[in-house]
Amino acid sequence: MSSGTAHAAVRRPRFFTPGSIAVCAVAAVGAAVTLARFALGLGATTNLTDANPWGIWIAIDVACGVALAAGGFTTAFLVHILHRERYHPLLRPALLTAMIGYTFVAIGVATDLGRWWALWHVPLPKMWQPNSVLFEVAMCVMCYLNVLYIEFLPVVCERFRGRVRLPGRLAALDHPAERLLAILDATLGRVITVFVILGIVLSCMHQSSLGTLMVITGAKLHPLWQTPFLPLMFLLSAFSVGFPMVIFESVLASRSLRLPPEREVLSMLARIVPVVLGVYLLARVMDLLSRHVLGLAFDGSRHGWLFLTEVTLGVLAPFAIFTNRRLRARVGWLFAGASMVIGGVVLNRLNVFLLCYTPVHAGAAYSPAWTEYAVTAGYIAIIVLLYRFIVLNFPVVEALEHRSPLAEPSAELSRPVLKPHTRPAASRRRPLRPRPDRKISHGPTGSAP
Amino acid sequence: MSAPCASTVTSRPSSQTREPDRAQPTTSRRAFLGISVGATLAAPALAAAGEHASALHQDRMGVLVDLTECVGCRRCEWACCDANGLPHGPLHEYDDQTVFEARRYPSPNQLTVVNRAKSDQTEREPVHLKVQCMHCDKPACVSACLVGAMQKDPDGPVHYDASRCIGCRYCMVACPFEILSYEYERSLAPRVRKCELCRDRTRDGKLPACVEMCPVEALTYGRRSELLALAHDKIARHPDRYTDHIYGEHEAGGTSWLYIAGRDFASLGLPTVGPKSPAALSEAIQHGIFRGFAVPIVIAGLLGAVNHLTKEDHK
Amino acid sequence: MNAPQALLLTLFLALAWTPPGERLHGAPTQPPAPERAPPAPPARPAPRAHETTPVPAFSEPGPDVAIIDDLVNHYGPVTFDHRLHERMSEITGDCANCHHETEANEPITGCAECHPRERNAADPGVTSLRGAIHRQCLDCHKDWSRANSCGFCHEEAGAAMHGPEDFGEFVGATPTHISPAQSYTYDTAREGLPVVTFHHEDHVQAFGLSCADCHLNDDCERCHGAGMARQTVVRERDCATCHADTDCVDCHDLTEKARFDHAERTGWDLGAAHAAVSCEDCHGPGHGAALTVPASLRCLACHQEAHGVALDALEHPVTLAGSHAYFECVQCHRGSAEGPRSTCVECHDDREFPAWSPGLAGW
């Protein structure tokens, strides 16, 4: 990496900055309101009604959360299945995003569940109800969450191998722990592809089923969105938002961590986006035409405008940006394009789950309570903080690993466990592009002795 | 597949269901077997295999509501609260007509409510409309519930089992009549609340509480087939009195509660619902994609193959 | 305590001694019901008032009062004033209004003869006795008073009996389910001109009458609390209230008289627009006087002043210049506002029309 030496002397960023402290405040408020929700119940903390039983916790935390975590499986597909090693630097950040994202999808669901303490009913075979689309979604998300944790394990192994220093008497366990890590690392290295495949299959299943979820609402969902092909639309839009999410998050992370953006890799990644976007748009338009409802988009109604916004800003505009070679080469435009795709998919999920879902009985319209916003914002803040913490303490962002951890004050609170690497950091460097003469290994095998 | 409940048989909507696919999902890739999540992954396939044809009883029961008879006395509301142990005042409090000023919906403390439809010019008197769970033959809520907390009894009632419920409220989203209500105000163990067609009373040979109470017998409890015949007969005999439409005969795939009235149901505030159960399409899609678990296995196989082939390229 | 209350109380006390099962028709004045085979259960719903065919009233004497108390659970018994309803039924569908299974000149069929005490699960189409009685009562009562409160008929435990004064809300109310005939024809036995035609609907509409305006001493009175005596409208007196100065032949005739026709009687066809105008708007308040149109209420009363716009600017196509300004409207608008108008040549036969049009220069 060209900038590696230039930044070598720069200290690793601290966890706490004015920005992250502000995010911490949002997270704290969110956490407090979450506690209130569990103590006082949904009635006290949400504006949910019998006509609108699902609010922003489902629409944003769950529906958008699942979609935006699509970067994990799409990047895994690119790197692990297609062996496009040049994208390797993006893999672990994407995986991390997906892992934290799905963790908070689960937490978001639990927050919204009236009887959250009964969540363990879902995997119980005697409770299975296979006709339920939600059953399929829940099972897949649960499995996928575990798969994500397993896929992330190599990072944990890498972080701790050779550096297990348990405090006090527990020090006796240092050796067994090291052994365990070694075994885990070696095993995972052999079977990781299986989990990657499992993860992709599970993702495809529940990303699409998330769309099927709303098919049962029938006429309650506006015809511009209600279609038997809703699962396909959800799957394609999840595909389309995967890489933009990686771009978005990579640009943001490198700015926040004061790293140079991975311009070249992102630019290459961006080439793929319009292909997926094009397929998505085509499917969308064909569906609308076949159902003779495309005209509704132009009837001047609120729904029509939402649809046009979603398609124009979320699909057409980024399509134009990402197909333009010159724009694609600029980080600013990459970021803008990626943000648009993300905005489009978020708007799509909001439209389907909230904005264009019209209850049968016209009562008072649902507008979220401030507490609902607080929880959602809090969860997003915690996701950001967790991401920052893990990136700063685990070998996730390669560029960051090139900096000498020794340059940091050892007393820094955010990295109490970080110890000097036993091996030179350079030995774990990965090439940006695959070298034709070398079989590229990935993940744990890279650090296997 | 495991029997969900000892006392009731879970019925599966039948129109879109296919012959039971008894073939076990053969299997998954060798690698899956050792992994516990692999087993859970196979769950939908196993479960789908257990799907069986409709268990609806031919003689299932229902209630016919003759809206031309209803006088809006709200005694059914009282009887419902009384039978379900819900808080309620003395009978005479239900003489209060001012409640008709605002449209009401069932709530956790009132599983049925009577509304007064704005009378149109051609009518002699206003029309009153009692609403409660329609007890669909192919209930969307039953199809939606992921833990089987909603179940359709073969003899009619759609039953909610709080001990299974996790509180996701997907049933409420799915219900085409939007009739379910939720105990949002309960913090720890909120329940979905709905009419249960007095399944405990009818088991004992009693009438549903509202039916028993109705002074003008606007409500008739009986076999759904007979009620339909009766309704058709009434409409044929008094074409001037009834519109030729039995609400619930076909709505949402048919419901246990049936309505006849002197004017069209949309103007009375009943939602216009198509003749297919909303669950039919979503289940068809769901089972179509996951039938025999073929699609996911094929995808997994393809991914494995691509992985292998591209790996070769790099050698 | 007034007379009706005393009578009711007496009846109630008498009934209190009869066993419950017999009470529905157990009034003391009723002879024992003749034994008869129960008719086939009616598969059809009970018809409503406007669907019934009248059964001649009093084909057998009915009870005065019935205490309905053997079906009660949530409420106390009902005191049903059978005689009151019997008499009211004369102006509607007679006995068949309620006794819908009774054929003409047949003995009256009681409710319990067809409607079983318990609902028959095997035949959901048959209404139980309780449902049938409630339907019969409420079908009219919800129309009349929009009242569906149970306490209207039922007594609370230990409460006083209903007296006629409890029915005050009916006073002056127009029973909406009663559909009197458009016209009635009477044979008065008057020599020479026996037939009197009474156009009931026209009187109600034209003079805005309510039932009690004429039927002051009719059956309604009984419910409304003024007296017990049953009297119908006394034609000689009640008609004469308005028709004191009317010539005999205006009402009496050899045959049925046609309805009042404004065009025929006055030569002025009201047409569609003026038919909607009330009589008083043109003829002034009160009736019975010479029916002329006072100057203050003629055409311009509405067509100029009411609109606040000059008539010619508003709609009159012809400028009424010169001497024309003094014309009465009806001088040109003859027979009807919508009918034929006088044309210029009727007076000005020396001018060609339309070359010479009113209002043009040179006229």
Side-chain angles (χ1 to χ4, degrees):
Chain A
M1 179 171 286
S2 59
S3 54
T5 49
H7 288 263
V10 178
R11 296 192 338 180
R12 288 174 72 103
R14 291 159 179 269
F15 181 78
F16 288 106
T17 62
S20 73
I21 288 171
V23 178
C24 281
V26 176
V29 174
V33 176
T34 306
L35 285 179
R37 173 262 170 272
F38 284 113
L40 304 175
L42 289 168
T45 43
T46 67
N47 281 349
L48 296 175
T49 59
D50 291 341
N52 278 293
W54 282 357
I56 57 168
W57 289 350
I58 294 295
I60 298 179
D61 300 14
V62 178
C64 295
V66 167
L68 297 188
F73 83 94
T74 45
T75 313
F77 174 74
L78 208 55
V79 176
H80 281 307
I81 305 299
L82 295 182
H83 300 288
R84 297 284 185 263
E85 295 295 337
R86 74 182 83 142
Y87 300 113
H88 206 290
L90 303 177
L91 178 62
R92 285 186 173 182
L95 187 61
L96 176 61
T97 316
M99 187 182 78
I100 305 177
Y102 270 93
T103 304
F104 275 83
V105 164
I107 294 176
V109 167
T111 313
D112 187 74
L113 287 183
R115 301 161 84 92
W116 47 270
W117 41 265
L119 189 53
W120 58 278
H121 287 177
V122 176
L124 284 188
K126 69 166 186 172
M127 299 278 183
W128 285 352
Q129 206 290 89
N131 286 328
S132 170
V133 181
L134 192 58
F135 169 75
E136 198 266 327
V137 173
M139 293 297 272
C140 283
V141 169
M142 279 186 184
C143 295
Y144 185 50
L145 191 53
N146 286 310
V147 168
L148 281 170
Y149 289 149
I150 292 169
E151 283 187 59
F152 197 73
L153 267 182
V155 180
V156 180
C157 292
E158 189 177 313
R159 166 67 183 77
F160 287 110
R161 276 197 72 184
R163 276 174 281 164
V164 179
R165 301 279 186 280
L166 294 168
R169 289 191 177 179
L170 290 175
L173 295 174
D174 279 0
H175 184 66
E178 286 284 359
R179 286 278 309 209
L180 184 69
L181 284 176
I183 295 168
L184 207 56
D185 208 353
T187 319
L188 284 173
R190 278 196 292 277
V191 298
I192 198 78
T193 310
V194 172
F195 284 104
V196 168
I197 291 173
L198 188 57
I200 295 171
V201 173
L202 286 170
S203 291
C204 291
M205 282 164 70
H206 74 260
Q207 291 282 5
S208 58
S209 293
L210 209 58
T212 322
L213 212 53
M214 295 306 272
V215 169
I216 204 167
T217 63
K220 289 193 244 183
L221 182 57
H222 191 274
L224 281 171
W225 289 271
Q226 181 61 281
T227 160
F229 290 100
L230 205 52
L232 180 68
M233 303 307 159
F234 267 53
L235 186 62
L236 290 176
S237 55
F239 286 155
S240 77
V241 83
F243 297 144
M245 195 59 201
V246 171
I247 294 171
F248 178 83
E249 159 231 323
S250 171
V251 171
L252 271 189
S254 43
R255 172 153 306 180
S256 169
L257 302 172
R258 304 215 177 78
L259 293 170
E262 313 245 21
R263 194 177 55 81
E264 282 177 63
V265 189
L266 296 184
S267 181
M268 280 190 290
L269 193 62
R271 280 183 318 173
I272 311 168
V273 178
V275 180
V276 193
L277 275 181
V279 174
Y280 173 46
L281 182 66
L282 195 68
R284 201 77 195 274
V285 172
M286 299 251 289
D287 167 59
L288 292 173
L289 284 176
S290 70
R291 291 183 297 118
H292 311 289
V293 291
L294 189 56
L296 292 178
F298 304 98
D299 65 0
S301 67
R302 189 175 69 93
H303 302 107
W305 283 113
L306 282 170
F307 174 83
L308 289 179
T309 312
E310 185 191 313
V311 170
T312 315
L313 288 181
V315 181
L316 293 175
F319 185 88
I321 292 171
F322 286 134
T323 43
N324 186 314
R325 184 193 295 266
R326 252 187 300 167
L327 294 184
R328 217 166 51 213
R330 297 212 196 143
V331 175
W333 280 106
L334 282 176
F335 186 72
S339 307
M340 285 176 180
V341 179
I342 292 165
V345 171
V346 166
L347 184 58
N348 175 261
R349 298 303 191 263
L350 286 181
N351 283 339
V352 171
F353 280 86
L354 208 59
L355 299 176
C356 299
Y357 174 86
T358 315
V360 173
H361 302 306
Y366 161 78
S367 87
W370 73 268
T371 39
E372 291 178 72
Y373 287 118
V375 169
T376 296
Y379 284 170
I380 294 170
I382 297 174
I383 289 172
V384 170
L385 292 173
L386 265 181
Y387 183 88
R388 188 176 171 85
F389 176 80
I390 294 176
V391 160
L392 289 178
N393 290 288
F394 286 84
V396 172
V397 177
E398 292 181 4
L400 208 54
E401 295 304 296
H402 305 151
R403 298 189 186 171
S404 167
L406 286 170
E408 286 221 42
S410 57
E412 184 166 346
L413 202 66
S414 63
R415 303 188 301 108
V417 290
L418 205 62
K419 297 278 162 44
H421 290 181
T422 50
R423 283 161 290 138
S427 72
R428 290 184 291 110
R429 270 185 76 169
R430 284 187 194 83
L432 269 180
R433 294 195 176 75
R435 293 181 203 159
D437 59 327
R438 187 184 147 194
K439 181 188 171 188
I440 300 296
S441 56
H442 50 264
T445 46
S447 56
Chain B
M1 124 171 238
S2 59
C5 178
S7 60
T8 62
V9 181
T10 309
S11 81
R12 308 283 178 229
S14 66
S15 74
Q16 72 295 331
T17 52
R18 49 206 53 77
E19 278 302 299
D21 183 359
R22 294 285 169 196
Q24 294 288 316
T26 38
T27 151
S28 6
R29 299 158 55 93
R30 171 181 46 83
F32 284 20
L33 293 174
I35 306 159
S36 61
V37 286
T40 36
L41 178 66
L46 279 166
E51 181 191 332
H52 54 78
S54 169
L56 277 185
H57 203 283
Q58 200 66 37
D59 284 341
R60 61 187 180 279
M61 305 302 275
V63 178
L64 174 65
V65 188
D66 188 338
L67 295 181
T68 66
E69 298 288 6
C70 178
V71 294
C73 69
R74 297 176 57 216
R75 290 310 183 272
C76 46
E77 294 182 14
W78 182 90
C80 179
C81 290
D82 196 50
N84 287 291
L86 299 168
H88 60 86
L91 268 169
H92 67 80
E93 278 183 13
Y94 286 77
D95 287 338
D96 180 15
Q97 305 267 308
T98 57
V99 296
F100 291 135
E101 283 159 19
R103 193 169 182 80
R104 298 178 304 149
Y105 302 104
S107 66
N109 286 331
Q110 275 196 300
L111 307 184
T112 183
V113 291
V114 178
N115 281 306
R116 175 177 286 170
K118 289 197 178 74
S119 76
D120 67 15
Q121 294 301 315
T122 60
E123 269 168 27
R124 298 192 301 161
E125 67 247 21
V127 178
H128 296 93
L129 177 68
K130 174 189 187 299
V131 289
Q132 71 299 303
C133 171
M134 298 288 286
H135 298 277
C136 307
D137 281 349
K138 295 160 192 164
C141 56
V142 171
S143 168
C145 183
L146 75 167
V147 287
M150 288 285 181
Q151 289 172 6
K152 173 79 175 173
D153 291 353
D155 59 345
V158 175
H159 166 56
Y160 168 71
D161 179 358
S163 70
R164 285 172 166 256
C165 180
I166 63 168
C168 68
R169 307 187 296 287
Y170 186 34
C171 50
M172 304 174 68
V173 173
C175 177
F177 303 99
E178 218 164 79
I179 211 69
L180 304 177
S181 60
Y182 200 68
E183 294 178 321
Y184 287 107
E185 299 308 322
R186 280 179 68 162
S187 59
L188 203 57
R191 291 169 298 176
V192 173
R193 299 297 276 149
K194 66 185 277 300
C195 159
E196 304 256 303
L197 204 46
C198 282
R199 62 201 283 274
D200 295 332
R201 288 173 58 92
T202 53
R203 291 264 153 76
D204 296 342
K206 290 191 252 179
L207 287 172
C210 54
V211 176
E212 187 184 78
M213 188 70 176
C214 182
V216 289
E217 286 180 22
L219 310 177
T220 310
Y221 179 75
R223 289 191 188 89
R224 185 176 184 273
S225 51
E226 287 180 13
L227 295 178
L228 275 176
L230 175 64
H232 280 300
D233 184 54
K234 282 188 172 193
I235 292 171
R237 284 176 185 277
H238 301 286
D240 54 326
R241 183 169 172 166
Y242 300 105
T243 55
D244 188 12
H245 179 188
I246 303 171
Y247 190 89
E249 182 179 18
H250 302 299
E251 269 74 10
T255 61
S256 299
W257 279 71
L258 305 163
Y259 289 81
I260 48 176
R263 59 191 237 205
D264 77 300
F265 292 98
S267 75
L268 296 174
L270 281 170
T272 307
V273 175
K276 275 185 97 175
S277 166
L281 183 58
S282 70
E283 287 190 16
I285 294 171
Q286 182 77 353
H287 295 311
I289 294 175
F290 293 106
R291 184 178 187 179
F293 224 51
V295 174
I297 290 172
V298 167
I299 293 177
L302 281 176
L303 289 171
V306 171
N307 175 51
H308 189 67
L309 290 174
T310 49
K311 198 185 283 180
E312 292 303 310
D313 287 350
H314 281 283
K315 269 186 178 167
Chain C
M1 183 179 283
N2 59 24
Q5 278 176 308
L7 180 60
L8 280 171
L9 187 62
T10 317
L11 287 167
F12 176 66
L13 289 172
L15 281 163
W17 294 101
T18 25
E22 296 171 15
R23 282 186 193 167
L24 194 59
H25 286 279
T29 55
Q30 189 192 15
E35 280 296 318
R36 48 180 293 184
R44 61 191 176 90
R48 291 297 162 261
H50 59 282
E51 296 167 354
T52 55
T53 43
V55 173
F58 308 117
S59 56
E60 63 183 283
D64 278 351
V65 173
I67 304 288
I68 308 169
D69 67 349
D70 55 342
L71 293 168
V72 296
N73 48 6
H74 295 286
Y75 284 92
V78 171
T79 312
F80 177 67
D81 187 337
H82 184 271
R83 168 158 302 173
L84 168 70
H85 286 83
E86 184 185 290
R87 287 175 176 166
M88 281 192 293
S89 73
E90 284 175 49
I91 51 175
T92 54
D94 284 334
C95 301
N97 223 7
C98 298
H99 298 278
H100 55 91
E101 283 298 316
T102 305
E103 300 295 332
N105 302 317
E106 287 284 309
I108 290 291
T109 310
C111 307
E113 290 179 50
C114 305
H115 295 282
R117 294 175 59 85
E118 296 294 330
R119 271 194 241 191
N120 182 2
D123 193 355
V126 176
T127 315
S128 79
L129 186 54
R130 176 171 165 273
I133 295 174
H134 275 117
R135 283 188 191 181
Q136 288 293 30
C137 298
L138 282 159
D139 188 49
C140 296
H141 278 266
K142 70 176 175 178
D143 264 13
W144 279 35
S145 59
R146 297 274 151 102
N148 48 19
S149 65
C150 305
F152 187 79
C153 302
H154 288 274
E155 294 160 40
E156 302 291 337
M161 299 267 297
H162 283 294
E165 68 278 5
D166 296 334
F167 301 95
E169 64 184 285
F170 286 147
V171 175
T174 303
T176 53
H177 67 306
I178 291 177
S179 324
Q182 284 275 341
S183 306
Y184 296 91
T185 316
Y186 302 97
D187 185 352
T188 61
R190 185 190 169 96
E191 269 181 55
L193 297 169
V195 180
V196 170
T197 312
F198 178 65
H199 297 288
H200 185 275
E201 184 66 16
D202 288 347
H203 276 76
V204 170
Q205 293 297 327
F207 306 111
L209 300 175
S210 71
C211 307
D213 286 342
C214 303
H215 298 274
L216 196 62
N217 296 307
D218 206 346
D219 267 359
C220 311
E221 176 101 280
R222 171 98 193 275
C223 349
H224 299 190
M228 293 290 282
R230 175 176 172 271
Q231 291 177 355
T232 52
V233 171
V234 181
R235 288 165 207 135
E236 292 77 14
R237 190 191 71 204
D238 293 351
C239 297
T241 308
C242 303
H243 293 283
D245 300 331
T246 311
D247 290 337
C248 302
V249 290
D250 282 350
C251 301
H252 291 268
D253 208 336
L254 278 166
T255 56
E256 207 171 304
K257 267 191 184 300
R259 298 172 61 197
F260 172 75
D261 185 331
H262 200 275
E264 188 190 305
R265 293 284 287 269
T266 67
W268 176 260
D269 186 354
L270 293 175
H274 288 95
V277 177
S278 80
C279 309
E280 293 189 353
D281 284 350
C282 297
H283 295 290
H287 51 270
L291 288 174
T292 54
V293 178
S296 62
L297 293 175
R298 285 175 199 168
C299 312
L300 293 181
C302 296
H303 289 285
Q304 187 161 50
E305 288 158 18
H307 292 285
V309 184
L311 179 59
D312 46 5
L314 180 71
E315 57 187 349
H316 205 273
V318 180
T319 306
L320 298 171
S323 59
H324 294 81
Y326 300 101
F327 286 5
E328 287 290 338
C329 304
V330 290
Q331 282 184 264
C332 298
H333 297 275
R334 289 174 305 174
S336 168
E338 292 148 22
R341 282 124 209 228
S342 300
T343 56
C344 307
V345 290
E346 284 178 32
C347 300
H348 303 279
D349 54 358
D350 55 338
R351 300 280 188 175
E352 276 187 40
F353 189 82
W356 293 91
S357 293
L360 291 179
W363 178 259

